[in-house]
Amino acid sequence: MLVELLHLLVTPVPFAHRRRGHLRESVLLMSRGRRCRSAWAPHLAAARAAILDACDGLPQRRVAVVLGSGLLQDVPLADLAARFARVDLVDAVHLWPARLRARAHPNVRLVTADLALRIDRPDPLAALCGGADVDFVVSANLLSQLPILPLDRPGFVPPDLGNRIVRAHLDGLAGLRARVCLVTDVEQIEEDRTGRVTERLDLLHGVRLGTPDRRWTWDLAPFGEATRHRRLIHRVEAFLDWRGP
């Protein structure tokens, strides 16, 4: 709790992002990642491998942009920094562990942006990664996260908001000239200790992505993390050269 409180107090973050809950969600995710380090390890390794394989064979390696960089657990930062002239890490919040890792690479830049709030623009990602020198873009386990806070806000929430947010991000990615690597969880499965599925949750709000290049499962919340006799498993899909569904 003391570590979490310290991050809440000392992390530089725009007031609007703090008010919307981005900082709190980032700190909670960091804490869960520490508790579930062993359970998460296969997922994080698979995500890093997909990202590196996706950028193989690029004719130019000028700028790489990572959307949803988070704590960089699923991002092979050192490898990207060695392969590209510049790497932009984009997220609503950059906690200090990520900031310190980024500082080790002179060609890595932190960019603060709330991607979920850009759905009303015709091309939401153009300003962040639509430049002529951007050769590689990663959406790193971000897509399913974008609707969470907007859907939790008080007041009226349009029933199709989650779907619109997911589609806006995908449309933005499909419109980029750069090669795009899309890694996202698509479904949450709740199981009991007998292996019986007790609940399924569509994390992409009805949007279907097509056939992925790779798929795996992520033991997000092992038994005892969320509840004693239930665990949460996410199905994850990776597209190494995303061009739209």
Side-chain angles (χ1 to χ4, degrees), residues 3-243:
V3 173
E4 294 176 358
L5 179 60
L6 182 63
H7 281 286
L8 290 171
L9 292 174
V10 304
T11 300
V13 58
F15 175 75
H17 292 189
R18 182 185 293 269
R19 179 170 54 84
R20 293 180 185 118
H22 289 296
L23 177 58
R24 179 178 179 276
E25 290 297 315
S26 296
V27 171
L28 291 176
L29 186 62
M30 177 188 67
S31 297
R32 171 171 280 186
R34 287 176 175 169
R35 294 191 302 270
C36 304
R37 184 173 303 165
S38 297
W40 285 22
H43 158 67
L44 298 176
R48 292 191 296 265
I51 291 169
L52 289 181
D53 289 345
C55 67
D56 279 348
L58 283 171
Q60 290 183 292
R61 295 182 177 181
R62 292 167 294 179
V63 178
V65 180
V66 180
L67 304 170
S69 54
L71 285 166
L72 301 171
Q73 295 171 304
D74 52 356
V75 178
L77 180 60
D79 294 289
L80 292 177
R83 296 186 184 197
F84 290 87
R86 193 182 87 212
V87 179
D88 289 352
L89 303 177
V90 183
D91 214 320
V93 174
H94 301 281
L95 295 177
W96 275 107
R99 289 174 177 270
L100 294 175
R101 285 187 60 188
R103 285 182 180 181
H105 306 283
N107 61 331
V108 172
R109 185 177 70 161
L110 299 178
V111 180
T112 301
D114 185 349
L115 297 169
L117 297 182
R118 304 170 68 87
I119 62 173
D120 294 328
R121 297 189 182 184
D123 190 354
L125 301 180
L128 291 169
C129 42
D133 58 347
V134 176
D135 297 309
F136 186 53
V137 175
V138 182
S139 178
N141 291 292
L142 168 68
L143 184 60
S144 68
Q145 301 299 306
L146 292 174
I148 292 177
L149 290 178
L151 292 177
D152 281 344
R153 289 175 193 154
F156 173 73
V157 176
D160 66 339
L161 180 60
N163 182 281
R164 287 168 50 207
I165 291 173
V166 169
R167 288 191 180 279
H169 187 70
L170 293 175
D171 289 345
L173 293 177
L176 299 173
R177 58 162 297 279
R179 181 181 297 177
V180 174
C181 174
L182 171 63
V183 180
T184 181
D185 41 359
V186 299
E187 183 183 33
Q188 178 174 286
I189 302 169
E190 182 183 83
E191 286 186 353
D192 64 18
R193 289 188 178 271
T194 69
R196 181 175 63 94
V197 175
T198 56
E199 186 178 11
R200 290 181 180 270
L201 180 63
D202 177 8
L203 300 176
L204 300 188
H205 301 272
V207 178
R208 297 293 176 260
L209 301 180
T211 303
D213 296 297
R214 300 179 187 177
R215 51 166 59 96
W216 62 85
T217 57
W218 175 11
D219 197 359
L220 178 74
F223 294 114
E225 172 63 24
T227 65
R228 183 178 179 184
H229 297 294
R230 296 285 190 273
R231 70 171 180 168
L232 301 178
I233 301 170
H234 281 199
R235 290 199 305 108
V236 184
E237 297 182 350
F239 300 80
L240 305 190
D241 190 2
W242 170 261
R243 298 185 184 278

